[in-house]
Amino acid sequence: MPWIANIAFTLNLTPYPYLDLTPFAFTISGIAFMVGMVRFQLLDVVPIAQEVVLDNIDDAIIVLDSKQRVLNFNPAAERLAASTGSKLIGSRAEKVFEWWQQFTSGHHPTPEEDPPIVEHRIAHRRRLFRPKMLPLKSNGREAGHLVTLQDVTEATVAKEALCRSEERFRSLSENAPVIIFTLDPQGTITYLNPAFEKILGFSRQKFLGRPFIAWIDQQETKACGQAFDQLIRGETAVAELNLTFYQASGAKRLFNISVAANQDSRNQVSGIIGMAKDITEEHELQYQLFQSQKMEAIGTLAGGIAHDFNNLLMGMQANLSLMHLRHSGDSSLRERIHRIEHQIQTGANLTRQLLGYARKGKYVVTAVDLNNLIEEALSIVERTNKAISIRRRLSEEPVFIEADQGQIELVLLNLFVNAMDAMPEGGQLTVATRPISLPEYFKEKNDNGRCCELLVADTGIGMDRATQKRIFEPFFTTKAVGHGSGLGLASVYGVVQNHGGRIQVDSTEGEGTTFTLLLPTTQEPVQQKADLKADVIPVRDIKILLVDDEPLILKYTREMIQSLNFNVLPARNGKEAINIYRRQHTEIDLVVLDMIMPEMDGLSVYNALRQINPGLRVLVTSGNTSQSRLDEILSNGYNRCLKKPYTRDELAEEITAILANLEDRPVVQPATLN
């Protein structure tokens, strides 16, 4: 309009030659321009920072035409191209981007799927990108594409690490031999690994969503709840406790539980994670070890008590023997002495049982046929209790064991008597023996590769578990007062252990009891030494060195020996005995030696005396002696052993047996022994 008005005024084409309409036309044009700007929102904000934004964005942006030629790009895209600057414009994408072929040849994801990741190296560094291609349309037709590439290297590496971590946890959890579980803050089970089903037999689905306390023994719920509450409140980081779980079969199993608070990314406690290990067998082994140590300690105590008690009995028996000698004509006094001696022997039997428990009652080791001993013991049972039916299942071949025959007889009688007591109304007693392969325990103790299993089973009243745990303890008995000392099974345990064996009990209330013994066997019977008893003694005066640390025992034993018309040289300890023997060994015919003495024990004294005289003859007296130490002395066939308490007649018999074998001596009838 201004141009038309100005041309019309210049060429004088208007009816008013001197009227210039140009300013008016400018006004009309300005008004029209303003109306257009308002009408078409031409005054809206113009994206003046568009180039700055595109240049600084981290994602690569590429604009392509319909023939996939580059029309525009930002600096991030330029860094991914083989060309730069103006060379990039108009180039086909596949020529300048090495990853383009990988991107276009693969699967084209739907809008709901994540695009595939492409790999690109920048300065020899591996980078991962996730490209997206969006169509550009003009007038309803596709005019090109907008391609964006997002750098996902760090995110992908982190995701892969997370996946590996989850896979390791899954592998660890799914294959762990222990139960792994997680709980929410309310104590509800949210996860259980497969070991739960293998160990307890329950389906995991049955317990998921249920309270943890439904899994354990009700008596332990309080302690468990307190430990979990402390974890949730953050008072403790880790808790450990032993809990009893029930198996699907109804059996109880003891588990060690280690639990810790499970924290989220904000360090907030989101629940509990824990591990449960079955320690039932371990707990049983620990208990057995504790019982073994306790019984070993009690055995040591019992051995000491038996030694002192035997010395007391020895003093009484010596005096009774002397009284019997001096008052043999008084029948009433002689009867009283016999009654007292009977009581002393009863006490001696108790000490022998204590020594059997203390594993110090094994004296004379020979090869004995276990089957013969069983038959002899069963014959006693058959005579004393007709209501008991005996079932024998003994091995056809003889079973020889290296043992003290008297101690094994004690074991058998105790087991059989206990079986009879458990069947007051009658029942069946089964006794079986069979040779078996040597268990691992015996391989260091026996080299013939075999041992014997002895089974003694009854159909009696049985025992509960608490009683089974204590039956081998000394003085523990379930019998009425006066019907048992509580030493029977204790001595059985000690004798079996002392012979290198093992014993175990299996019992159920109302269904009977079974004792199983394992004893090492020997291949051939050991030839027993010839009996050295004799009824003659040398004619000349006999001189005996008597060694004992107990003053009263020394005094009483001296009087008994002198009553046999022998000369006695008393020694109160080992050193004094050595000094006397060094001076008079040519005159001393026999040494009566106590084995248990302070400073120098009997074996040490014996070895010192043998250095003076290798032909030494010794009568060992003791009520508590280590078998190995005793064997060393008894290896000389002329040496003998006499258990305390002993009578004058028993002492005379042993002395006579040793002296009768002295060579080149004229002999006469022995001194009166009654």
Side-chain angles (χ1 to χ4, degrees), residues 192-206:
L192 290 168
N193 70 332
F196 177 84
E197 296 181 349
K198 296 178 182 178
I199 296 175
L200 297 180
F202 291 110
S203 169
R204 288 186 287 173
Q205 298 301 322
K206 180 179 178 181

Side-chain angles (χ1 to χ4, degrees), residues 546-559 569-572:
L546 174 62
V547 189
D548 202 303
D549 66 301
E550 293 286 342
L552 291 178
I553 302 299
L554 185 66
K555 180 177 181 296
Y556 301 149
T557 307
R558 178 183 180 182
E559 292 178 3
L569 297 175
R572 293 168 295 180

Side-chain angles (χ1 to χ4, degrees), residues 50-96:
Q50 178 176 334
E51 293 296 329
V52 176
V53 172
L54 293 177
D55 288 348
N56 290 276
I57 196 170
D58 290 334
D59 293 346
I61 299 176
I62 307 168
V63 180
L64 304 175
D65 63 11
S66 59
K67 296 182 179 180
Q68 297 187 354
R69 291 177 298 191
V70 179
L71 299 180
N72 201 355
F73 55 90
N74 68 344
E78 186 177 4
R79 290 193 292 270
L80 303 179
S83 302
T84 59
S86 58
K87 294 183 180 179
L88 193 57
I89 300 296
S91 300
R92 292 183 62 84
E94 61 185 23
K95 300 294 185 181
V96 294

Side-chain angles (χ1 to χ4, degrees), residues 13-29:
L13 299 176
T14 64
Y16 306 101
Y18 300 103
L19 180 60
D20 188 358
L21 297 177
T22 301
F24 178 75
F26 269 106
T27 301
I28 297 300
S29 297

Side-chain angles (χ1 to χ4, degrees), residues 134-151:
L134 301 176
L136 297 177
K137 295 184 179 181
S138 176
N139 297 325
R141 293 186 304 171
E142 187 175 293
H145 292 87
L146 177 66
V147 181
T148 62
L149 289 96
Q150 180 184 9
D151 192 333

Side-chain angles (χ1 to χ4, degrees), residues 482-557:
H483 292 273
S485 64
L487 287 174
L489 289 178
S491 62
V492 167
Y493 177 87
V495 170
V496 172
Q497 292 285 326
N498 191 31
H499 284 76
R502 281 289 186 267
I503 181 171
Q504 69 178 33
V505 60
D506 182 24
S507 182
T508 304
E509 287 187 274
E511 298 183 9
T513 301
T514 299
F515 286 92
T516 303
L517 286 71
L518 294 179
L519 294 169
T521 60
T522 184
Q523 292 179 334
E524 297 180 0
V526 178
Q527 296 297 325
Q528 300 185 23
K529 298 180 178 67
D531 191 356
L532 297 180
K533 288 185 179 181
D535 56 358
V536 291
I537 56 174
V539 69
R540 74 170 181 83
D541 291 339
I542 296 298
K543 188 171 290 187
I544 296 175
L545 175 61
L546 174 62
V547 189
D548 202 303
D549 66 301
E550 293 286 342
L552 291 178
I553 302 299
L554 185 66
K555 180 177 181 296
Y556 301 149
T557 307

